[in-house]
Amino acid sequence: MALVLLLLIPSLLTLFTKGVQAVELQMFCKCFCGSNSTIFELPMVDPKPCSNCTKQFCLDNVKDGMCDGIADETCPSNDFRTACFARDSFKDEIIVRIFLVIIFGLIIFAFIKPYVDQWKKDRQSGNQYTPVIDREN
């Protein structure tokens, strides 16, 4: 068990040091125009970048006439939606890394457990006192 912990400690340290390096997130705005959708990278100049994910932001950035009817009154308001999200967030990365560390730890533990059990059994039998028969008497 101690060997498994020794193997997991460097992985856990790597997990948290990588997490500190990945603090900078990138926010995205997904614009839905009817059945079409487009994803745009939001500028990170605001402390709340999701406040920029608006209908006007989408209309200004969409090309190829994908949302031509959105700008005028012919398009119903429920046909246009926006969604703000962060891709590769810190929380998601930590969850995946913890899962991987646990799985690899269990695999290593399952692999070495028979050897550790055999070693304990051999050590126990070696510590037992067996009297020597005195044949001269």
Side-chain angles (χ1 to χ4, degrees), residues 15-112:
L15 170 78
F16 292 113
T17 56
K18 291 282 186 181
V20 170
Q21 295 170 358
V23 170
E24 187 175 323
L25 296 177
Q26 183 57 50
M27 302 299 289
F28 295 90
C29 181
K30 187 169 186 177
C31 304
F32 299 93
C33 297
S35 62
N36 298 326
S37 65
T38 306
I39 297 175
F40 298 106
E41 187 174 326
L42 287 171
M44 298 298 285
V45 292
D46 261 348
K48 295 182 179 180
C50 283
S51 62
N52 294 330
C53 186
T54 62
K55 177 179 178 179
Q56 190 59 45
F57 175 80
C58 291
L59 291 174
D60 292 342
N61 289 300
V62 169
K63 296 178 179 77
D64 300 329
M66 187 177 90
C67 293
D68 284 342
I70 299 295
D72 58 20
E73 303 301 322
T74 62
C75 181
S77 61
N78 63 354
D79 199 23
F80 184 85
R81 297 183 320 272
T82 62
C84 183
F85 64 95
R87 192 177 292 166
D88 300 331
S89 69
F90 177 65
K91 182 178 82 171
D92 296 340
E93 186 176 343
I94 288 294
I95 290 170
V96 169
R97 288 178 183 254
I98 288 173
F99 175 77
L100 290 174
V101 166
I102 289 171
I103 294 301
F104 285 127
L106 289 172
I107 289 171
I108 290 170
F109 179 72
F111 180 72
I112 65 171

Side-chain angles (χ1 to χ4, degrees), residues 5-22:
L5 289 176
L6 287 175
L7 293 172
L8 289 179
I9 288 173
S11 300
L12 290 174
L13 291 175
T14 303
L15 170 78
F16 292 113
T17 56
K18 291 282 186 181
V20 170
Q21 295 170 358

